[in-house]
Amino acid sequence: MAKRKKQGSSKTSSQPGTKATAEGKTLRSYQVGALPIINHILRRMRLPDILRRCLPPDDVRKILPTVRGLLVLVRNILVSREPIYGVGEWAARYAPDLLDLKPHELKLLNDDCLGRCLDRLFDGLETDLIMTVVRQLIDEFQLSLEELHNDSTTVSFYGAYDAADQESRLRGRSTLAITFGHSKDHRPDLKQLLYILTVTEDGGVPIYFTSASGNTSDDTTHQQTWDVLCQLVGRSDFLYVADCKLASTENMNYIARQQGRFITVLPRTRKEDQQFRKRLLQKPDSVTWQGVYVATKQYQTKGQVIKQTVDRLTVCSQEILSQEGYRLLWYHSSKKAENDARRRAGQLQRATRQLTELRDRLQGPKSRFGKREKVEQAVQEILKSRDVEWLLSVDIIEQEKATYRQARRGRPSKKTKYVKQVKKRFDLSWTTDPVRIAEEEACDGIFPLISNVKDMTAEELPRAYKRQPIIEKRFSHLKTDFSVAPVYLKSVSRIQALLAVYFFVLIVQTLLERELRQAMQREKVKSLPLYPEGRDCRRPTTRKVLDLFAGVQLHELSISGQETEVMVTQLSPLQKDILKLLGISSKGYGR
C-alpha cells in the first residue's frame, strides 16, 4: 500500500512512552499534548459511536477495531500529520488511553492495519455516515444553516496511478479517476482528484464533503450538492453562496425552480459582462454609482487613534436583469481596483522578464530555435501564462547570420577554400498597447453579483458573498496545516476514505476554534496571549492551542514495593484559562 519504504512501522514497541530505570526505580514518560482537548470534541461529536453504527462489522480476524484505527488517524493528522507508515511510531510516544488503545495494540498500528481500516471506511461511505455525523454536529453545537458556502479544490498526486485512470466499481461502490484536469494548485503536470466542501457561515464549520474525479468540471457538481444540503437542512430556502461556476443557466434555474436562494459572481464569459464593460468604456457618463459602505480600520500611534479607509464600495444605481431574469448588480471596490492594477503591473513585469530571457536564448550560440513556429509557440506560452495576451504586442524579427568554415581540415593558407553557411536567427521586440491598458484600467475594481434573492439590499448581497473566503481558509488548512498531499497510497478506494478522514479532521479543527471564540465572546475575553512574547491574540486558532499544549507530559514513577506515582506537567495559567473556556476540567487533564 505504501509507496515509500517502511520505516519501522512493524517494529513499534509494545511498551509505549520512554522508559528510564535506576536502582529499583522505573520512570515511564508519555506525551499528552492537546489530545484530551481533541477527545473532548470527538466525544461531543459522538464520532466513535457513529462510526461503530454506520461502518460494516469488523472481520473476526481483525485484531484492532476499525473505529479505533480511524480515530488514531484523525488525532495524528490534527497533531502531527505523519505518513501512514509512521503513525505507529508516533502513537507509541503517547499515553495509550488517550488514543483509546491498550498498550499491546500499539504494535498493530502498521501501514497494513491502517490501510484495512480505510478499506472499511470506504465501504461505509455508501451509507448515511457523513449525514449522520453532520446532523449530530447541528444538534450538539447548534449550528446555523441559514447561509452555506460551497467551493472545491484539487488534491494533487505524485505518480502514474495507471490503475486508477478511469472510474470503476469496487465492492459495489464507485471509485474515482485520478487523472489530469484543471489544476487549482497550478500543477497541470500532476494527476488529481476534486475535493468539494460546504461550510456554514456560522464559524465556517464543514457540513458536507464529497470527492470527484480529477477531470470533473465544477459547474456539474452544484445541483447534486444542493440536493444533499436540502435534505440536511430540511428546507430549500437557505442562502447558497458559490463562485462563478454556479452561474450557469441550468444551475441557477434548477435552484430557483425549487424555491432555493443563491448568490454568485457572473463570469467574464457571459454576454452581460461584455455589454456592461463596453458601456463603461464607451459611455462612462451613463453609469452612475452610489455608495454602499466604507470599510475602515483603526490603529493607535503616539497615543492617538487613527482611522484608515480600507475600501470604498459603490454600486451601479441601475439594477440590471440577467438573461434568465435574475438580479444583476455591478459593484466597484476601491481596494479591488488597487489590487487589479498591482496584479496587472506585476504580470507585465514578469512577462517582460521572461521575454528577455527568451531573447537571450534566441541570440545564444547554441540556440535550438531554428523555426519561426517554435519561437511563436514559446512567445504565446509566456503571454498566456501571464494573462497579458491583449496587453503586449510582440514582434518576431527573422535574421540570417552567415558563418564560414574550412572546406577541408588542415592549417589554413592562401589556397584554403571556405564554405559559407547561413543560419536563421530570431530576435524579439515588444511594446505595451496603451489603448488596451487604458481599457483595463477603466474596468479595474468592478465585479458583478447575480442572485435571485429579492429581499436583500445592495449592501447585504456583497457582504454575504465576501464571506466566501471562510471556505478558502479551510482549504488552506487542508493543504498546509494538515498536508493532504502528497498521499502515500496506491489504492484509490483508500485514498477516497482518507479524504473522508480529512473531512472529520477539518470539523474537529473548526469546532475547536468556534467553541473557544464563542466562549471568549460570552465571557467578554477580548484576547489571549498566544502569540510570541505574550502578545494578544483576538481570534485564536486550533494550531495555536495545539502548540500551547504540546509540552504537556505524563510521568509514571514506579518504585519496587510501592504504589506507582503519576505526575502530569503543571499547567500554566493560560492553559487553565483555555480549558475553562472550553468546559474541560484542568484537574484531571492528561490522567
Side-chain angles (χ1 to χ4, degrees), residues 9 40 153 177 412 558:
S9 60
H40 175 73
T153 189
S558 300

Side-chain angles (χ1 to χ4, degrees), residues 129-172:
L129 172 61
I130 300 296
M131 300 291 280
T132 305
V133 171
V134 174
R135 290 190 179 103
Q136 170 62 22
L137 298 182
I138 297 170
D139 294 339
E140 175 67 22
F141 295 92
Q142 298 298 304
L143 300 181
S144 172
L145 304 179
E146 296 300 321
E147 182 180 317
L148 304 180
H149 293 256
N150 175 270
D151 203 355
S152 63
T153 189
T154 51
V155 179
S156 300
F157 294 86
Y158 297 82
Y161 288 93
D162 294 331
D165 58 356
Q166 293 182 352
E167 296 180 357
S168 61
R169 303 284 297 180
L170 178 65
R171 298 193 296 274

Side-chain angles (χ1 to χ4, degrees), residues 475-544:
F475 290 148
S476 174
H477 292 147
L478 186 70
K479 296 185 177 184
T480 56
D481 289 3
F482 305 137
S483 304
V484 69
V487 178
Y488 302 120
L489 297 171
K490 289 183 179 179
S491 169
V492 65
S493 61
R494 293 182 177 184
I495 290 171
Q496 288 177 228
L498 185 61
L499 294 181
V501 172
Y502 274 99
F503 175 65
F504 301 145
V505 168
L506 285 175
I507 290 175
V508 175
Q509 178 258 345
T510 308
L511 288 176
L512 179 53
E513 285 184 2
R514 180 179 180 270
E515 289 297 293
L516 182 56
R517 293 175 183 180
Q518 286 188 348
M520 290 173 60
Q521 185 177 8
R522 186 170 57 250
E523 300 297 328
K524 298 182 180 180
V525 178
K526 292 184 177 180
S527 63
L528 294 171
L530 287 171
Y531 288 135
E533 302 172 348
R535 288 181 281 119
D536 289 340
C537 175
R538 294 181 178 272
R539 295 178 62 81
T541 63
T542 296
R543 177 50 51 191
K544 286 296 179 185

Side-chain angles (χ1 to χ4, degrees), residues 362-380:
L362 294 174
Q363 296 296 312
K366 296 182 180 180
S367 175
R368 295 179 178 272
F369 292 87
K371 295 182 179 181
R372 186 183 185 90
E373 292 78 10
K374 193 173 181 180
V375 180
E376 290 175 347
Q377 181 181 357
V379 170
Q380 195 63 26

Side-chain angles (χ1 to χ4, degrees), residues 334-392:
S334 61
K335 183 177 181 180
K336 185 177 184 300
E338 296 173 1
N339 293 337
D340 290 344
R342 189 182 303 111
R343 176 185 177 277
R344 182 172 55 253
Q347 293 292 68
L348 285 171
Q349 185 179 11
R350 296 183 188 95
T352 301
R353 183 171 63 250
Q354 287 182 287
L355 289 172
T356 302
E357 294 172 354
L358 177 60
R359 182 172 61 183
D360 292 341
R361 291 166 58 196
L362 294 174
Q363 296 296 312
K366 296 182 180 180
S367 175
R368 295 179 178 272
F369 292 87
K371 295 182 179 181
R372 186 183 185 90
E373 292 78 10
K374 193 173 181 180
V375 180
E376 290 175 347
Q377 181 181 357
V379 170
Q380 195 63 26
E381 287 177 357
I382 293 174
L383 298 181
K384 188 175 181 180
S385 66
R386 296 304 174 187
D387 195 23
V388 292
E389 296 172 275
W390 304 104
L391 304 180
L392 276 179

Side-chain angles (χ1 to χ4, degrees), residues 167-182:
E167 296 180 357
S168 61
R169 303 284 297 180
L170 178 65
R171 298 193 296 274
R173 189 174 187 272
S174 300
T175 60
L176 305 177
I178 300 178
T179 184
F180 295 105
H182 175 68

Side-chain angles (χ1 to χ4, degrees), residues 322-440:
S322 70
Q323 63 180 9
E324 300 88 359
Y326 302 127
R327 296 175 68 187
L328 181 57
L329 289 84
W330 282 88
Y331 293 90
H332 179 273
S333 165
S334 61
K335 183 177 181 180
K336 185 177 184 300
E338 296 173 1
N339 293 337
D340 290 344
R342 189 182 303 111
R343 176 185 177 277
R344 182 172 55 253
Q347 293 292 68
L348 285 171
Q349 185 179 11
R350 296 183 188 95
T352 301
R353 183 171 63 250
Q354 287 182 287
L355 289 172
T356 302
E357 294 172 354
L358 177 60
R359 182 172 61 183
D360 292 341
R361 291 166 58 196
L362 294 174
Q363 296 296 312
K366 296 182 180 180
S367 175
R368 295 179 178 272
F369 292 87
K371 295 182 179 181
R372 186 183 185 90
E373 292 78 10
K374 193 173 181 180
V375 180
E376 290 175 347
Q377 181 181 357
V379 170
Q380 195 63 26
E381 287 177 357
I382 293 174
L383 298 181
K384 188 175 181 180
S385 66
R386 296 304 174 187
D387 195 23
V388 292
E389 296 172 275
W390 304 104
L391 304 180
L392 276 179
S393 177
V394 182
D395 292 327
I396 301 175
I397 304 168
E398 187 173 335
Q399 303 170 333
E400 289 188 352
K401 185 176 181 180
T403 58
Y404 297 87
R405 66 177 180 84
Q406 293 181 203
R408 295 181 179 180
R409 294 180 179 179
R411 186 183 297 275
S413 65
K414 294 180 180 180
K415 297 181 180 181
T416 300
K417 293 183 179 181
Y418 291 87
V419 179
K420 180 181 179 181
Q421 290 183 333
V422 178
K423 289 186 178 181
K424 288 185 179 181
R425 293 288 184 177
F426 298 94
D427 196 4
L428 298 177
S429 66
W430 57 85
T431 56
T432 56
D433 190 328
V435 175
R436 287 176 175 170
I437 289 181
E439 292 176 353
E440 289 289 322

